[in-house]
Amino acid sequence: MGRLENKVAIVTGGSKGIGEAIAERFVEEGAKVVITARHTEEGEALANKLGENALFIQQDVSKKAEWEKVIKETLDQFGKVNIIVNNAGIGVYADVEQMDDDNWNKTIGINLTGTMWGIKLGIKAMKDNGEKNSIINLSSIEGLIGDPDLFAYNASKGGVRLMTKSAALDCARKGYDIRVNSIHPGYVVTPLVEHLMETDPKVKEHLISLHPMGRLGKPVEIANLALYLASDESSFSTGSEFVADGGYTAQ
């Protein structure tokens, strides 16, 4: 307990799945957490469950103005920002020939542009607070390897991977006490993946077969990695990729 004592975090896409698990772990470890998501009902329910150290704010991460609103309300409520977890994301199966404007623009807007605003405005809010700070970007194994059916998702998550390194180097050279790292999960049992598996039992078998450990990941396993990166325990880690994929990319 207490690994994030006196820290204030913003977790996007925090109402379910990996984001929900991260918000719960952060509060357990002493942080005050602002949960953001597009869907108000789920986010407010989670914030109420987590108690006085959690706050929900509705947000479309692709919009700069909504990022500015979230950071202002966080500062007004809790006085500072120390941690930003850019977790909000979408993924739609489509290869390059199936790609259309809607899929491309939504995927890039949420996954890449949304993360960019979180990094940029997060640095602005953190750089002069005199404390140790951390920005954690949820990329994916799809930011490390290619998938012919995830053209836009590959582009967005690969962009998150290198954008992370660029921001980390910029903060380091300017002497900001802000670390920037990326997490690359394999397939994790979240509502989205569960829906895919329910539609076709063969999908579940296939996804499990991709992971040498013989199972999919659990949201809390990704949350535990985020906890390490959010805490001062990871004080010498920046611009790095942290993979949690059951051996998927080791093959």
Side-chain angles (χ1 to χ4, degrees):
M1 296 291 289
R3 294 165 70 188
L4 299 182
E5 201 69 38
N6 299 317
K7 302 276 191 184
V8 176
I10 296 170
V11 180
T12 71
S15 64
K16 56 188 175 182
I18 292 172
E20 178 182 3
I22 290 172
E24 289 177 342
R25 287 296 286 124
F26 282 14
V27 170
E28 286 171 5
E29 292 293 339
K32 294 178 172 61
V33 178
V34 173
I35 301 159
T36 83
R38 287 177 294 171
H39 302 296
T40 302
E41 186 175 343
E42 293 169 331
E44 288 182 343
L46 178 60
N48 289 335
K49 183 179 90 170
L50 295 179
E52 63 182 4
N53 288 329
L55 171 70
F56 174 75
I57 303 174
Q58 196 276 338
Q59 181 189 25
D60 177 346
V61 297
S62 68
K63 298 178 180 178
K64 180 184 179 184
E66 297 208 9
W67 263 109
E68 291 172 331
K69 173 194 72 174
V70 166
I71 289 177
K72 182 181 185 302
E73 290 189 31
T74 302
L75 293 172
D76 289 346
Q77 181 75 19
F78 296 125
K80 60 180 180 176
V81 181
N82 302 114
I83 302 157
I84 289 182
V85 182
N86 287 302
N87 170 71
I90 62 168
V92 180
Y93 281 103
D95 63 30
V96 60
E97 290 192 292
Q98 296 171 320
M99 187 52 50
D100 58 32
D101 288 353
D102 187 58
N103 184 352
W104 179 263
N105 291 333
K106 281 186 177 178
T107 303
I108 298 300
I110 293 171
N111 296 2
L112 190 58
T113 304
T115 299
M116 179 274 292
W117 288 126
I119 296 170
K120 177 181 172 63
L121 297 175
I123 290 171
K124 180 180 178 182
M126 296 173 179
K127 65 182 182 180
D128 296 321
N129 67 11
E131 301 183 17
K132 293 185 181 301
N133 306 282
S134 177
I135 296 174
I136 304 162
N137 300 323
L138 268 290
S139 180
S140 168
I141 54 170
E142 305 296 349
L144 302 172
I145 60 173
D147 186 317
D149 294 316
L150 288 169
F151 182 71
Y153 192 75
N154 273 151
S156 68
K157 293 302 187 178
V160 167
R161 172 178 173 262
L162 285 178
M163 188 164 62
T164 296
K165 295 180 184 298
S166 178
L169 293 171
D170 186 47
C171 288
R173 73 175 176 179
K174 291 175 178 174
Y176 300 158
D177 205 343
I178 305 171
R179 293 169 290 106
V180 191
N181 293 288
S182 57
I183 294 179
H184 300 257
Y187 282 89
V188 176
V189 181
T190 63
L192 176 61
V193 172
E194 286 178 324
H195 176 70
L196 284 173
M197 294 190 297
E198 287 168 2
T199 58
D200 185 350
K202 292 181 180 178
V203 171
K204 181 177 182 179
E205 293 173 13
H206 173 65
L207 293 181
I208 290 173
S209 74
L210 297 173
H211 301 77
M213 290 183 71
R215 66 175 177 85
L216 304 186
K218 303 171 186 175
V220 71
E221 293 175 310
I222 310 305
N224 286 334
L225 186 48
L227 172 60
Y228 168 70
L229 292 174
S231 76
D232 295 346
E233 296 162 17
S234 57
S235 56
F236 198 52
S237 296
T238 198
S240 296
E241 304 159 11
F242 291 80
V243 180
D245 68 356
Y248 189 124
T249 56
Q251 303 175 95

